[in-house]
């Protein structure tokens, strides 16, 4: 029999820049959920600081990220509950430029207080791993759905290549990959005008036949609303 889990989904109002009181409120919800038998608590994005990068001392507050991450680790261990503390905005200093960068990171903390996080590891081995995720995923979506993916993202000001925005706006097309020379490789504000020839999309479908497979009655992955027993052939 498949296991069943009890989760806490937190929906609360957190005050911008009130990092300690926001943590206290979140911790109270986690403690209450743990007392009711919850095994996982999922908190909102930006719940500690909100996202107000232009506010005075916002960067300083983000410099306290490790203090609150460790508080959540202790909380998880104390109450025997796994915690996803939403996202925590972290301030890190670039070793080369000495400028500070803000990074929005999601963690998974198990019930022993151990971090099992991909983002922190990814950033430690590749500071551009988030950009790599976008570049890889958007192109793969174009291939796996035999479609064109038009991706428009927020960018930072001109002349600020190290801003906290990902950018990378592009059109992804099967066979061709990413189009949009002025924007696909930058986080700075700009514009690309892309000519999209749908012939490439149709040729991809003719080759891979993904959309054709999706509408077939015997499509392997299609949900049919029936229960599969242990001995039934999939």
């Amino acid at each position: 029999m498949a296991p069943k889990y009890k989760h806490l989904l937190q929906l609360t109002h957190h005050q911008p820049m009130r990092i300690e009181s926001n943590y206290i409120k979140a911790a109270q919800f986690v403690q209450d959920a743990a007392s009711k038998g919850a095994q996982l608590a999922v908190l909102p994005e930006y719940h500690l600081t909100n996202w107000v990068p232009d506010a005075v001392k916002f960067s300083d507050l983000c410099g306290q990220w490790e203090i609150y991450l460790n508080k959540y680790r202790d909380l998880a261990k104390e109450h025997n509950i796994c915690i996803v503390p939403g996202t925590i905005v972290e301030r890190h200093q670039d070793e080369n430029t000495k400028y500070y960068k803000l990074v929005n990171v999601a963690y998974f903390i198990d019930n022993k207080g151990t971090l099992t996080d991909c983002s922190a590891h990814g950033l430690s081995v590749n500071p551009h791993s988030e950009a790599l995720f976008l570049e890889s995923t958007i192109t793969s979506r174009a291939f796996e759905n035999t479609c064109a993916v038009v991706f428009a993202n927020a960018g930072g000001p001109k002349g600020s290549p190290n801003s906290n925005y990902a950018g990378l706006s592009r059109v992804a097309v099967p066979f061709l990959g990413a189009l949009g020379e002025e924007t696909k490789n930058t986080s700075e504000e700009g514009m690309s005008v892309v000519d999209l020839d749908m012939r490439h999309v149709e040729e991809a479908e003719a080759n891979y036949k993904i959309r054709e497979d999706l509408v077939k009655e015997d499509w392997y992955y299609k949900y049919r609303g029936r229960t599969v027993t242990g001995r039934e052939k999939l």
Side-chain angles (χ1 to χ4, degrees):
M1 179 181 294
K4 295 181 180 180
Y5 299 102
K6 184 177 290 188
H7 297 166
L8 160 68
L9 302 176
Q10 188 182 13
L11 178 61
T12 55
H13 176 64
H14 294 90
Q15 298 289 336
M17 308 286 290
R18 302 287 297 275
I19 189 169
E20 178 63 19
S21 62
N22 289 337
Y23 168 76
I24 291 172
K25 179 186 289 187
Q28 289 171 343
F29 274 93
V30 172
Q31 292 168 13
D32 187 38
S35 70
K36 293 179 169 61
Q39 296 149 305
L40 171 65
V42 181
L43 310 182
E45 186 176 31
Y46 299 119
H47 73 285
L48 286 176
T49 57
N50 208 308
W51 177 246
V52 283
D54 296 327
V56 177
K57 296 186 178 180
F58 179 76
S59 177
D60 291 339
L61 286 178
C62 296
Q64 301 178 37
W65 66 272
E66 197 165 12
I67 294 173
Y68 288 91
L69 178 60
N70 287 331
K71 284 188 175 185
Y72 279 121
R73 295 179 66 182
D74 292 340
L75 188 68
K77 184 177 181 179
E78 179 183 355
H79 295 280
N80 191 33
I81 186 172
C82 300
I83 302 175
V84 177
T87 58
I88 298 176
V89 185
E90 303 178 2
R91 186 179 72 174
H92 297 276
Q93 189 174 37
D94 188 284
E95 293 182 0
N96 297 319
T97 66
K98 304 305 179 184
Y99 288 117
Y100 286 114
K101 301 180 80 171
L102 301 181
V103 184
N104 193 33
V105 181
Y107 291 93
F108 184 92
I109 305 169
D110 70 16
N111 61 327
K112 296 180 177 62
T114 304
L115 291 176
T116 57
D117 174 64
C118 176
S119 297
H121 172 75
L123 290 171
S124 70
V125 297
N126 179 7
H128 305 291
S129 60
E130 292 181 334
L132 178 62
F133 170 79
L134 289 174
E135 292 166 345
S136 305
T137 303
I138 294 167
T139 300
S140 67
R141 292 292 182 268
F143 272 99
E144 69 186 10
N145 294 285
T146 54
C147 68
V149 177
V150 180
F151 176 75
N153 202 13
K158 275 285 189 183
S160 302
N162 294 319
S163 70
N164 300 311
Y165 294 89
L168 307 178
S169 294
R170 63 192 51 213
V171 177
V173 185
F175 304 128
L176 299 180
L179 306 178
E181 294 302 320
E182 292 81 4
T183 57
K184 70 177 185 179
N185 295 318
T186 181
S187 61
E188 295 185 53
E189 184 179 60
M191 180 181 74
S192 290
V193 178
V194 176
D195 292 320
L196 175 58
D197 187 346
M198 294 300 290
R199 176 175 59 90
H200 301 302
V201 173
E202 296 308 317
E203 287 292 334
E205 174 59 21
N207 183 55
Y208 299 116
K209 302 185 185 301
I210 293 175
R211 281 180 276 140
E212 178 182 321
D213 286 340
L214 286 172
V215 298
K216 289 180 179 179
E217 285 299 320
D218 61 349
W219 174 236
Y220 182 85
Y221 297 102
K222 185 175 181 179
Y223 174 69
R224 297 177 176 81
R226 62 186 177 86
T227 300
V228 179
T229 64
R231 291 182 172 274
E232 188 172 355
K233 184 178 180 181
L234 294 175

